[in-house]
Amino acid sequence: MSIIHALHYPWAPDAYALDENTIRLSIFLPRSSAKGVWVHYGDRYAPTRELSSRMELVGKTSLYDVYSTDISLQSRRFQYLFEIIGVTQATLTMGADGIGCNLAKDRPFQYAQILKRDLFKEPEWVSSAICYEIFPDRFHRSKSSTSRPSKRALVDWSSEPTSSDFFGGTLSGIREKIPYLEDLGVNLLYLTPIFKARTNHRYDIEDYYTIDPLLGTKVDLVDLVSHAHEHGMRIILDAVFNHTSDHFFAFEEAVREGPGSEFWDWYFIFGDRVSTNPVNYETFGNGIASMPKLNFSHPKVESYFLEVARYWITEAKIDGWRLDVANEVDHTFWRRFRDVVKTAQNQALIIGEVWHDPTPWLYGDQFDGVMNYRFRTIIEDFFVERRIAVSELACRMDDLQFSLPQSASMSNFNLVGSHDTERIFTLLAEDIEQYLLVLVVLLTWQGIPMIYYGDEISMVGGADPSCRRGMDWQADLIQSESYRAVEKLIKLRGQHQALTKGTIRIDHDLASQHILQYTRSYNGDTVIVTLNLSDEPISLPNDRKVWFTTQTPNGKEIKPRQAAIWTK
């Protein structure tokens, strides 16, 4: 491809504000098509673009070289034009009319004005966050709980899970394990749904203002959040707003009263009565009768769930929400949701569940980040499926990091497993060597690492419900190799700001030699992460300091299929 296939749009993620005077610009050029790129810029109302900045080659995707730079103006109003110095052809420009050749006359791109309320700023604390996902029924039974309803029989904690069994984990049980979580180093807990429901997963909520009695009470939640805060941890809850239970009061009345009910239009019902066989209303998934889908264009639906979001932040002091099936609820609602949540707690975190490209939700007006399933897919394609080479792994990781604004990348939950997926250790055929490599990438990449409960001790499990087994509290497992690795990697993140706030630069020349190596840098702190995915050992510089390694002993080289984190 030639330079004429260059890509740039004057909006995020190619152009976006970092602060009130600075924008970040990126341009994508076909691989090896340019020797350099400059951006010429100035105030939109000035007759000329009097300032220039050389752009840095910051990454490579499968098809493009990525060039980027940050430019500043006190006026906050930008015009800019790219100058591309070609390898085999004359210098060209790129502006509002596409590829050109006249720096003086070609029309520039316009970034109309940076406005303070449009700035996308993640919560101040996310750079240091380590998330731990808990499926409450399966984490820990409280030793002191007396509120368990007798009608829900509990299976043995070590049982193979089914879709209907209850294990009896509680909120007070989570509270009792705060010391364990603190020792591990996590500081953000994400709890899957805890509100009243009839299933163990509780994604079919029938009362959004009542904690499920099997888990505890509102007092237990308040106590858990307060205790977590005392130990430097935050807690976010699961917001299941796409759909309700068929036992939710609004749906039950719609069933009883028919089209005359004030709640009939809270749902998408086709016909003059509700039918469950066959289902004649929209649902979560494919005709799941117990989970009717909500109509958020109805003002009362919107106001009801906005109040739910506000209520638990103000009443229980939770630190944010994870939004279930977020891509199936309209953008208008999520913009209003953000206003309500951030007004109640401006440092609250909002994480959407979006399995595909989440860009439309991540311009700063809806979510802070998403469950980063794209990250998981890349990890699975290389380490599990072995579908891609190291060079392609490097390209896809670069594509991931440059596909979103920086604030969104910082806020994403990077995950390799969740309550909806097979356990990563099982997918890796319980290969601890491979698993440690995965953990290194998970805990050194940009964003919030998310550990699914038990992954730190190499728990196994196939597809749902097998991935939702009871947490294994055997003491010998807590001293497992994977636990020690997670603990050390979390501590290392706390010691180096480069690993939490730093830029990422992948060495693509090494990737062609089957070595994944990337450098993270921030304010003079530089850390290098090297995964030797080749069949030969590779040498480290003599003056290096190794902070973490997957191999024993720690020598002057990295053995095949081992990793090291080091500084010069």
Side-chain angles (χ1 to χ4, degrees), residues 52-71:
S52 299
S53 177
R54 186 178 182 92
M55 303 187 75
E56 179 187 358
L57 177 61
V58 294
K60 296 176 182 289
T61 70
S62 297
L63 297 176
Y64 295 97
D65 290 335
V66 186
Y67 288 82
S68 184
T69 192
D70 300 340
I71 59 175

Side-chain angles (χ1 to χ4, degrees), residues 38-335:
W38 289 78
V39 60
H40 303 279
Y41 63 99
D43 186 285
R44 289 180 60 234
Y45 291 96
T48 60
R49 295 172 293 279
E50 70 277 8
L51 299 172
S52 299
S53 177
R54 186 178 182 92
M55 303 187 75
E56 179 187 358
L57 177 61
V58 294
K60 296 176 182 289
T61 70
S62 297
L63 297 176
Y64 295 97
D65 290 335
V66 186
Y67 288 82
S68 184
T69 192
D70 300 340
I71 59 175
S72 297
L73 285 176
Q74 291 303 309
S75 69
R76 298 178 291 145
R77 307 173 306 195
F78 293 81
Q79 58 165 302
Y80 59 94
L81 186 73
F82 297 107
E83 179 186 8
I84 306 167
I85 304 169
V87 171
T88 60
Q89 54 187 292
T91 297
L92 299 175
T93 66
M94 184 176 183
D97 295 321
I99 297 295
C101 58
N102 191 317
L103 277 174
K105 295 184 178 180
D106 291 339
R107 278 202 315 139
F109 289 107
Q110 303 285 330
Y111 195 96
Q113 187 154 14
I114 299 175
L115 299 170
K116 185 174 183 179
R117 291 203 302 177
D118 289 337
L119 289 174
F120 185 178
K121 296 300 293 182
E122 72 277 10
E124 296 171 358
W125 52 270
V126 302
S127 64
S128 60
I130 306 288
C131 181
Y132 191 89
E133 181 190 353
I134 293 176
F135 192 86
D137 184 59
R138 308 294 160 79
F139 190 62
H140 182 55
R141 288 179 185 170
S142 171
K143 296 177 181 177
S144 59
S145 177
T146 58
S147 61
R148 183 175 299 117
S150 59
K151 66 180 180 179
R152 288 183 177 176
L154 303 182
V155 298
D156 183 80
W157 192 259
S158 60
S159 299
E160 180 69 23
T162 70
S163 58
S164 58
D165 288 338
F166 288 88
F167 282 45
T170 59
L171 296 180
S172 54
I174 297 172
R175 186 191 188 285
E176 290 170 6
K177 290 299 181 179
I178 291 293
Y180 166 83
L181 298 168
E182 187 174 28
D183 288 345
L184 181 61
V186 301
N187 53 22
L188 173 62
L189 307 183
Y190 152 46
L191 310 186
T192 59
I194 64 171
F195 303 118
K196 187 179 180 182
R198 303 197 178 194
T199 58
N200 54 43
H201 57 73
R202 299 182 175 88
Y203 282 97
D204 53 342
I205 297 173
E206 58 186 67
D207 187 341
Y208 289 81
Y209 287 99
T210 300
I211 305 300
D212 192 293
L214 187 58
L215 294 176
T217 66
K218 178 181 174 181
V219 171
D220 291 325
L221 175 62
V222 171
D223 181 55
L224 170 60
V225 174
S226 176
H227 190 65
H229 287 173
E230 290 172 3
H231 288 262
M233 297 182 194
R234 293 176 169 88
I235 292 182
I236 70 170
L237 300 182
D238 217 321
V240 188
F241 290 176
N242 172 69
H243 54 273
T244 67
S245 165
D246 56 343
H247 294 284
F248 183 61
F249 76 92
F251 191 77
E252 286 187 329
E253 182 165 322
V255 171
R256 287 194 307 268
E257 303 296 330
S261 168
E262 64 175 302
F263 299 109
W264 184 261
D265 292 331
W266 280 40
Y267 299 92
F268 300 93
I269 304 169
F270 310 109
D272 57 6
R273 65 181 181 85
V274 174
S275 170
T276 59
N277 188 21
V279 175
N280 71 335
Y281 48 91
E282 290 190 19
T283 70
F284 165 73
N286 187 18
I288 301 176
S290 60
M291 297 183 181
K293 180 176 173 60
L294 287 158
N295 173 19
F296 275 93
S297 63
H298 193 298
K300 291 187 177 180
V301 173
E302 180 177 86
S303 62
Y304 181 91
F305 286 95
L306 290 178
E307 177 56 23
V308 170
R310 186 203 64 78
Y311 177 86
W312 289 108
I313 289 178
T314 57
E315 292 292 315
K317 307 299 187 240
I318 66 168
D319 300 286
W321 291 99
R322 179 266 190 186
L323 313 174
D324 187 55
V325 205
N327 54 334
E328 296 183 19
V329 176
D330 65 70
H331 294 281
T332 298
F333 174 76
W334 289 134
R335 291 186 182 101

Side-chain angles (χ1 to χ4, degrees), residues 8-17 24-26 80 109-111 359 363 405:
H8 174 83
Y9 298 98
W11 52 78
D14 296 354
Y16 60 91
R24 174 163 294 172
L25 300 176
S26 298
Y80 59 94
F109 289 107
Q110 303 285 330
Y111 195 96
T359 306
Y363 291 124

